[in-house]
Amino acid sequence: MTKSPSERRSAALRRFGASITVLTVLGHTVLGFEQAYLTPVVAVFAALTAEIVLESVEAATARRRPRYLGKPGAVADFLLPAYITGMACAMLLYANDRFMPTVLASVVGVASKYVVRVRIGGKSRHVLNPSNVGIVVVLLLFGWVGIAPPYEFTEWVTGWWGAIVPAVLLIAGTMLNAKLTGKVPLILGWVGGFLGQALVRALFTDISLVSAVLPITGTAFVLFTNYMITDPGTTPSSRRNQVCFGLATAVVYGVLVQFHVVFGLFFALTITCALRAVVLAVAARKSPQWTVLVPAQRTAAEPMPAREPA
């Protein structure tokens, strides 16, 4: 039986929420995550609180019922994106024993969905990947905060288990995107573009091709490719535009790395999302059937745009 878009969105959110929860638990008990045990708890609490507060303000402004007061299933689907944002920020940021940078990333990520939106065809869409933009803001504000070291995903496992972990993440993420999010064209565009920028840099600079391609073999790249860049709410839906989005992210990444910008994956995605927002805004001005408003209010009957993880 074919699922409706809302059913696929709900299934994707719940599967991703379960996946990131399992990975976090295994990370802190088996794999070798180095953040404090309370970090994901505090981050999720901050993200959910921000979601409820901002939704309350918007609902009061629009004179509608807050979505966290609906049926249990609908409430779960409403809160899951914020939950995923908090978990993703807690997993990917490393601020030693301090919680506030991760809390700030979680709150900024959730707030970005309410502050920066594009209204297209009467529907309000957020345009910045929540988890990613929260992480980028913290990296820019605090020079001593970094991305969690990729080795922590396999730090406590030895032998072939070190290869099994990214393999499982790759298979699970690919199945999720193939069956529910429909973002396989975007993944192919991103991976193909990443290989292309690596080849160009190897041909025209002094970097070796092996060094330029090496990040693609790591767990961090697998997570970014299957669970970060494929956010349904902030990426195109058509196959052609998905490929273009993936290629554009790879090009921006290559430019940033060439200029020695660290954490290029996250900055590249934020820049590409921002550029896409500009393109949508310009197109809306030229097309009479599109209207743009940033920020914009949702009506009570208007469904939430699809969002995914972190």
Side-chain angles (χ1 to χ4, degrees):
M1 182 177 178
T2 303
K3 293 183 178 180
S4 66
S6 61
E7 289 175 331
R8 288 197 299 270
R9 173 185 178 272
S10 177
L13 280 172
R14 296 178 185 189
R15 290 187 187 182
F16 188 80
S19 298
I20 198 169
T21 300
V22 171
L23 180 57
T24 297
V25 172
L26 291 177
H28 284 283
T29 58
V30 177
L31 302 180
F33 283 13
E34 297 183 355
Q35 299 93 337
Y37 293 133
L38 281 178
T39 300
V41 177
V42 173
V44 166
F45 178 79
L48 292 177
T49 301
E51 186 79 76
I52 291 172
V53 169
L54 292 171
E55 169 63 13
S56 299
V57 172
E58 183 177 271
T61 302
R63 296 182 179 180
R64 60 170 175 80
R65 182 184 178 89
R67 283 170 293 157
Y68 55 77
L69 296 180
K71 296 181 179 179
V75 172
D77 288 344
F78 166 67
L79 293 177
L80 267 173
Y83 172 83
I84 292 169
T85 296
M87 293 290 277
C89 291
M91 180 187 297
L92 297 174
L93 280 174
Y94 182 75
N96 205 339
D97 60 346
R98 301 187 183 184
F99 296 134
M100 293 312 297
T102 307
V103 167
L104 177 61
S106 302
V107 172
V108 168
V110 172
S112 70
K113 299 182 299 183
Y114 290 84
V115 175
V116 185
R117 297 179 186 163
V118 174
R119 184 175 290 275
I120 302 175
K123 293 185 178 181
S124 181
R125 306 287 187 183
H126 67 283
V127 291
L128 299 178
N129 184 300
S131 305
N132 191 78
V133 75
I135 289 171
V136 165
V137 168
V138 167
L139 292 176
L140 290 173
L141 290 178
F142 305 102
W144 52 273
V145 177
I147 295 298
Y151 66 75
E152 73 173 17
F153 290 93
T154 54
E155 186 176 9
W156 293 346
V157 296
T158 58
W160 285 101
W161 287 104
I164 291 176
V165 172
V168 170
L169 292 173
L170 177 62
I171 294 172
T174 301
M175 291 177 62
L176 175 66
N177 286 298
K179 292 184 177 181
L180 298 175
T181 67
K183 298 300 180 181
V184 172
L186 191 153
I187 292 175
L188 294 176
W190 156 244
V191 174
F194 189 92
L195 295 174
Q197 63 83 28
L199 179 60
V200 170
R201 289 167 53 216
L203 289 175
F204 296 99
T205 68
D206 58 354
I207 190 173
S208 70
L209 181 59
V210 173
S211 298
V213 174
L214 193 60
I216 207 172
T217 63
T219 305
F221 188 90
V222 173
L223 286 171
F224 181 86
T225 299
N226 280 287
Y227 299 98
M228 180 69 78
I229 195 175
T230 54
D231 174 24
T234 56
T235 54
S237 56
S238 71
R239 293 181 178 179
R240 183 192 65 181
N241 290 346
Q242 285 187 45
V243 172
C244 291
F245 186 91
L247 288 172
T249 306
V251 171
V252 174
Y253 168 83
V255 173
L256 292 176
V257 172
Q258 193 58 36
F259 282 94
H260 308 290
V261 176
V262 295
F263 312 130
L265 291 177
F266 300 94
F267 287 107
L269 180 55
T270 294
I271 292 172
T272 305
C273 286
L275 291 174
R276 175 174 176 263
V278 172
V279 171
L280 289 174
V282 171
R285 289 179 178 274
K286 295 181 178 180
S287 180
Q289 69 268 24
W290 288 8
T291 58
V292 173
L293 179 62
V294 181
Q297 300 291 339
R298 285 192 298 271
T299 64
E302 183 178 331
M304 274 292 290
R307 291 177 294 186
E308 111 308 56

